[in-house]
């Protein structure tokens, strides 16, 4: 379904657009679901999938992120917590990793849990790496530059993101 078709179905007013970026006026995204095993991300409103994307993951895609530099993508429930319009990967949407549990685990082992996990585009670096290696990030979730423009417009801070193995 296209964004235009989704916009026609909406009865709720859309949040104020972020200047100079795509706008979205369809049903609100109430959850982001990432399935690492199938490399798919879904933007969900209630029980309906609005959009789905193929994704790239961290360069060590199996297992839950535990420490800074491990190359893994987190697993579990997090939240969209920020937007970066100046990302080196075109645009990026922040994921609230690490949570309290992640911090406690890493600290118990005298390690740093890492951070700066995002859903992001490819940008020049990813466009060079992605054709050769689908899982090229340091732990983030990557889509194409065109797709991150849609995601950036559709999600809001506070939306839960569930990342499944």
């Amino acid at each position: 379904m296209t964004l235009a078709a989704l916009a026609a179905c909406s009865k709720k007013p859309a949040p104020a657009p972020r200047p100079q970026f795509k706008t979205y006026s369809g049903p609100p995204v109430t959850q982001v679901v990432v399935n690492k095993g199938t490399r798919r991300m879904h933007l969900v409103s209630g029980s309906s999938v609005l959009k789905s994307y193929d994704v790239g993951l961290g360069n060590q895609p199996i297992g839950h992120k535990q420490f800074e530099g491990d190359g893994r993508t987190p697993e579990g429930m997090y939240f969209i917590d920020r937007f970066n319009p100046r990302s080196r990967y075109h645009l990026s949407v922040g994921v609230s990793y690490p949570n309290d549990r992640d911090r406690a685990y890493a600290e118990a082992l005298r390690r740093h849990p890492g951070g700066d996990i995002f859903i992001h585009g490819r940008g020049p670096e990813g466009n060079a790496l992605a054709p050769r290696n689908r899982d090229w990030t340091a732990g983030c979730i990557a889509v194409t530059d065109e797709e991150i423009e849609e995601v950036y417009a559709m999600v809001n801070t506070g939306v839960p993101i569930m990342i499944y193995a």
Side-chain angles (χ1 to χ4, degrees), residues 6-66:
L6 289 172
C9 299
S10 177
K11 297 198 191 268
K12 285 186 160 186
R18 293 174 186 91
Q20 76 197 24
F21 300 106
K22 286 185 179 180
T23 60
Y24 172 73
S25 59
V29 173
T30 58
Q31 184 177 33
V32 177
V33 177
V34 176
N35 184 313
K36 290 173 54 175
T38 60
R39 305 297 194 281
R40 294 288 286 170
M41 178 174 73
H42 309 282
L43 304 185
V44 178
S45 182
S47 60
S48 299
V49 174
L50 301 174
K51 293 288 287 190
S52 294
Y53 305 94
D54 289 325
V55 298
L57 303 171
N59 57 38
Q60 299 296 321
I62 297 173
H64 172 58
K65 180 164 195 63
Q66 297 176 324

Side-chain angles (χ1 to χ4, degrees), residues 25-156:
S25 59
V29 173
T30 58
Q31 184 177 33
V32 177
V33 177
V34 176
N35 184 313
K36 290 173 54 175
T38 60
R39 305 297 194 281
R40 294 288 286 170
M41 178 174 73
H42 309 282
L43 304 185
V44 178
S45 182
S47 60
S48 299
V49 174
L50 301 174
K51 293 288 287 190
S52 294
Y53 305 94
D54 289 325
V55 298
L57 303 171
N59 57 38
Q60 299 296 321
I62 297 173
H64 172 58
K65 180 164 195 63
Q66 297 176 324
F67 310 114
E68 182 175 48
D70 66 10
R72 293 181 178 156
T73 301
E75 296 171 0
M77 185 171 148
Y78 299 93
F79 296 91
I80 301 301
D81 66 353
R82 62 202 182 277
F83 291 85
N84 182 1
R86 293 177 192 85
S87 172
R88 72 191 245 196
Y89 302 107
H90 191 58
L91 296 170
S92 58
V93 176
V95 175
S96 65
Y97 176 88
N99 60 27
D100 291 341
R101 186 179 200 180
D102 298 320
R103 276 188 211 88
Y105 180 80
E107 288 171 9
L109 297 172
R110 295 190 172 125
R111 303 277 306 267
H112 188 277
D116 285 336
I117 300 297
F118 289 87
I119 302 167
H120 60 65
R122 291 182 179 168
E125 181 180 344
N127 282 326
L129 293 172
R132 293 188 309 271
N133 187 358
R134 182 177 196 172
D135 298 322
W136 58 271
T137 77
C140 295
I141 300 159
V143 294
T144 68
D145 290 348
E146 296 78 20
E147 292 167 339
I148 194 58
E149 290 175 7
E150 291 178 352
V151 173
Y152 197 94
M154 292 176 73
V155 300
N156 290 296

